[in-house]
């Protein structure tokens, strides 16, 4: 275990940074995975090589990872289904975005979701993400994440849109580049066949996107 942490800190992080293979270092800080002290050590080393900290935090157990995310100035703390009140307070007072992954908790059948309402009411910035991966969230429909944000996390339609756009960009360190329709921002657009913004999370499971553009270039347009 110690040898692997040393390898990450002294070999892999420097190589990843030198070859510009990643912008972030993400540590899974959870009882049974990396401890808070180990995560702090890993993220400190990564930041020394220009990699920005992220944390898989307090997903299944409150291990103090949200507190560490705030302490380290992490770009985001992800999951947070088991976050404690102290962690919510710390995140709300920081620039760290609380990225919630409702599809993961649904797929795992835990019967538990992150406390989105409490995080928002405490003043935290909440983002939503799919956590797309073959093990715990094989989900390709991002609009379904918005549906889960409303139905499972008790967020309003306006809140899930903010969580999916502006705050999602902030969680990636891109809030000054994309995430909103404004002069000077990158033209990353998705057009949906709906009459009202509230319809996208309402029609769960439907394919309503008729076209999308990245940096002003079409990457999917339905005839």
């Amino acid at each position: 275990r110690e040898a692997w942490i040393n390898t990450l800190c002294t070999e892999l992080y420097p190589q990843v940074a030198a070859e510009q293979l990643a912008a972030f270092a993400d540590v899974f800080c959870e009882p049974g995975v990396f401890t808070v002290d180990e995560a702090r050590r890993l993220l400190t080393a990564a930041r020394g090589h220009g990699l920005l900290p992220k944390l898989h935090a307090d997903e299944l157990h409150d291990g103090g990872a949200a507190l560490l995310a705030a302490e380290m100035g992490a770009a985001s703390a992800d999951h947070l289904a088991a976050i404690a009140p102290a962690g919510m307070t710390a995140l709300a007072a920081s620039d760290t975005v609380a990225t919630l992954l409702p599809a993961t908790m649904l797929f795992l059948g835990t019967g538990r979701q992150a406390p989105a309402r409490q995080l928002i009411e405490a003043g935290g910035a909440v983002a939503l993400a799919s956590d797309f991966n073959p093990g715990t969230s094989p989900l390709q429909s991002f609009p379904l994440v918005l549906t889960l944000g409303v139905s499972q996390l008790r967020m309003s339609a306006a809140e899930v849109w903010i969580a999916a756009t502006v705050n999602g960009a902030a969680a990636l360190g891109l809030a000054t580049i994309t995430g909103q329709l404004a002069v000077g921002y990158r033209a990353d657009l998705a057009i949906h066949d709906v009459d009202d913004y509230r319809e996208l999370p309402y029609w769960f499971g439907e394919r309503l996107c008729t076209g999308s553009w990245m940096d002003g270039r079409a990457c999917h347009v339905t005839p």
Side-chain angles (χ1 to χ4, degrees), residues 96-167:
T96 299
V97 178
T99 302
L100 311 185
L101 311 166
T104 302
M105 308 313 291
L106 180 69
F107 188 77
L108 290 176
T110 64
R112 186 176 192 178
Q113 289 285 356
R117 282 259 52 86
Q118 293 95 315
L119 283 162
I120 292 170
E121 290 166 6
V126 169
L128 288 172
S130 69
D131 196 27
F132 175 64
N133 74 86
T136 62
S137 187
L139 174 69
Q140 299 185 59
S141 172
F142 189 70
L144 183 54
V145 176
L146 306 190
T147 302
L148 296 175
V150 173
S151 69
Q152 304 299 305
L153 303 184
R154 302 296 186 261
M155 299 169 69
S156 70
E159 286 169 342
V160 298
W161 273 100
I162 292 170
T165 55
V166 177
N167 288 354

Side-chain angles (χ1 to χ4, degrees), residues 25 49 62 67 75 83-84 93 102-103 133 141 150 165 172 181 200 209 214 223:
H49 294 286
D62 170 33
L67 292 169
I83 187 173
N133 74 86
S141 172
V150 173
T165 55
L172 296 172
L181 302 179
L200 192 58
C209 184
M214 181 175 180

Side-chain angles (χ1 to χ4, degrees), residues 11 22-23 25 49 68 80 93 95 100 116 127 135 140 143 153 191 200 210 220:
E11 298 180 29
H49 294 286
L68 178 63
L80 303 174
D95 292 327
L100 311 185
Q140 299 185 59
L153 303 184
I191 306 299
L200 192 58
T210 60
H220 160 251

